[in-house]
Amino acid sequence: MSLAAESPSPSPSSSSGSDDFAALLDAELDLASAVDSASAGDPSTSPTSSDDKEDDDEDAVADVETVEQSSAKRRKVKVQYQDRETAIRPDEDSIGSSEDAQIKICPPHPGYFGGLCFRCGKRQDEEDVPGVAFGYVHKGLRLGTSEIDRLRGSDLKNLLRERKLILILDLDHTLINSTKLHDISAAENNLGIQTAASKDDPNGSLFTLEGMQMLTKLRPFVRKFLKEASNMFEMYIYTMGDKAYAIEIAKLLDPRNVYFNSKVISNSDCTQRHQKGLDMVLGAESVAVILDDTEYVWQKHKENLILMERYHYFASSCRQFGFSVKSLSELMQDERGSDGALATILDVLKRIHTIFFDSVVYLSC
């Protein structure tokens, strides 16, 4: 998004700027020389005999003519030079005050940062409310519809050039399973599940979120899944969880910040209560794939959704969905990695990617 206004192009003229300036300088020198000559012949500064009076009169006439010619030449060149400056510099009447210039540029305002239009600097008011707040990109950022469309178009070109699509990833029951410490079952306590959770092991899959009093279990195969998917997709996290929780999980899944960067969308970013939407994604809907275990939160984008088999590791998760069976944690078991849910979905994503980029539809874009 360019904040710099384009400078008007100079109109063509019969002479260049350097030629005009040189001509103006010559005129100034000719005028000075003529004035000096006239001063030298002035009776008040030089004695004159009666015999030389006629010659002096003729010289004076010549001097006056020289001065008049030089002045005319100076005026002509000055006008030419001013005309060229007018062509380069917009007329003051056409620009007016800075406020007038802002009105010509905005509205529509492309967006706001910290309550100010990032193009013209105008403060946001009630009439400028339409748009979407992208707080997950940067706090205080709000974009208008035209700017969102422009950014999506630019992003689409880059994605197609890199042969990538967009992948929206849910967290709970899709990539992970979490539980509150006070919801841990007696059987899980007896098995020492809380003791086994540690953030000190980067290769581990069971972690304690101390500040949130929670345990989180990464789904088997998730690390390989993210690594391979990142070669085919630009990835977003989109969860109905709180922002602090989403950021903590993103750190576990992407400790080096190579997959998601700032693309972590949480419940506070949603534009509709209890609904997720691609309006929060700065990418084209036509190239977006969604992985989520819950269908009803994607009412407007069901055609983009791949419904995931839910991951229930903790006992509280089983109880939440009405399963009266022992959890994987209580059985001291887990999903298989190599042919489990994420491995299966990865194969599906690879086929989608291949079909899209090898299809006639893509080639005609």
Side-chain angles (χ1 to χ4, degrees):
M1 57 193 76
S2 175
L3 303 182
E6 294 183 357
S7 300
S9 301
S11 60
S13 60
S14 60
S15 60
S16 66
S18 58
D19 292 338
D20 288 342
F21 183 76
L24 180 61
L25 184 61
D26 289 340
E28 292 285 353
L29 292 175
D30 290 343
L31 179 62
S33 176
V35 172
D36 290 343
S37 298
S39 298
D42 188 11
S44 63
T45 57
S46 301
T48 306
S49 65
S50 59
D51 296 336
D52 294 335
K53 182 176 181 181
E54 185 177 346
D55 293 337
D56 289 343
D57 291 341
E58 292 177 356
D59 291 341
V61 170
D63 290 340
V64 169
E65 290 177 351
T66 300
V67 171
E68 289 177 347
Q69 291 173 358
S70 298
S71 299
K73 182 178 180 182
R74 178 177 179 273
R75 285 195 300 272
K76 180 180 179 181
V77 173
K78 184 175 182 180
V79 168
Q80 290 177 347
Y81 196 71
Q82 287 176 337
D83 289 343
R84 178 179 177 273
E85 284 185 318
T86 302
I88 295 177
R89 295 195 309 267
D91 190 271
E92 289 183 1
D93 292 337
S94 67
I95 293 180
S97 65
S98 59
E99 183 178 352
D100 293 336
Q102 290 175 6
I103 293 174
K104 290 184 179 181
I105 297 173
C106 298
H109 301 283
Y112 298 91
F113 189 82
L116 300 177
C117 173
F118 50 70
R119 179 192 284 159
C120 71
K122 181 180 181 295
R123 182 169 294 281
Q124 180 179 348
D125 55 35
E126 293 182 0
E127 296 179 358
D128 304 320
V129 169
V132 179
F134 287 86
Y136 72 90
V137 176
H138 204 294
K139 185 178 180 180
L141 176 64
R142 186 179 187 87
L143 300 177
T145 302
S146 60
E147 183 66 7
I148 292 173
D149 291 341
R150 187 189 72 80
L151 290 174
R152 284 177 177 159
S154 176
D155 181 68
L156 179 59
K157 291 179 181 178
N158 293 333
L159 288 175
L160 296 181
R161 189 182 304 115
E162 297 174 6
R163 292 180 64 86
K164 284 189 173 184
L165 304 176
I166 294 173
L167 183 61
I168 315 297
L169 296 167
D170 174 52
L171 290 181
D172 292 291
H173 304 107
T174 298
L175 301 183
I176 63 165
N177 192 205
S178 295
T179 184
K180 292 284 188 180
L181 293 182
H182 59 73
D183 288 331
I184 293 176
S185 69
E188 288 172 326
N189 263 325
N190 292 336
L191 292 170
I193 192 171
Q194 187 172 347
T195 305
S198 172
K199 292 183 66 174
D200 298 330
D201 182 6
N203 298 316
S205 63
L206 188 60
F207 299 91
T208 303
L209 303 180
E210 296 286 356
M212 300 179 183
Q213 294 293 292
M214 298 180 72
L215 290 183
T216 291
K217 174 69 172 60
L218 304 188
R219 196 166 196 166
F221 196 75
V222 68
R223 296 189 189 280
K224 187 172 183 180
F225 172 87
L226 293 176
K227 182 177 180 180
E228 295 198 23
S230 68
N231 295 323
M232 303 179 288
F233 296 87
E234 178 181 329
M235 299 189 296
Y236 286 74
I237 285 176
Y238 202 145
T239 177
M240 281 298 191
D242 294 339
K243 182 171 291 294
Y245 171 72
I247 291 174
E248 284 300 311
I249 300 301
K251 290 177 182 177
L252 296 179
L253 295 170
D254 184 18
R256 294 176 182 169
N257 201 28
V258 296
Y259 300 142
F260 305 113
N261 198 3
S262 63
K263 300 187 291 292
V264 180
I265 306 172
S266 62
N267 58 6
S268 61
D269 300 305
C270 297
T271 56
Q272 187 175 349
R273 187 174 175 82
H274 302 311
Q275 283 291 305
K276 298 179 179 180
L278 292 179
D279 55 345
M280 291 307 308
V281 176
L282 286 174
E285 181 178 340
S286 59
V287 295
V289 180
I290 302 166
L291 294 187
D292 204 315
D293 69 288
T294 307
E295 183 179 9
Y296 78 85
V297 298
W298 292 102
Q299 291 295 318
K300 295 181 180 179
H301 308 286
K302 290 183 179 180
E303 64 278 9
N304 300 79
L305 175 65
I306 298 177
L307 196 60
M308 289 290 297
E309 177 185 349
R310 286 195 175 103
Y311 180 48
H312 300 289
Y313 182 77
F314 295 108
S316 63
S317 182
C318 293
R319 294 195 302 268
Q320 177 187 351
F321 287 87
F323 300 133
S324 56
V325 296
K326 284 189 175 182
S327 65
L328 292 172
S329 60
E330 292 172 328
L331 294 170
M332 299 186 68
Q333 297 177 1
D334 208 345
E335 280 186 356
R336 294 175 58 164
S338 59
D339 59 355
L342 287 179
T344 301
I345 288 298
L346 181 61
D347 288 337
V348 173
L349 294 177
K350 288 178 178 178
R351 290 200 298 271
I352 291 173
H353 183 273
T354 299
I355 291 171
F356 181 90
F357 283 102
D358 291 345
S359 68
V360 177
V361 175
Y362 165 66
L363 293 175
S364 64
C365 290

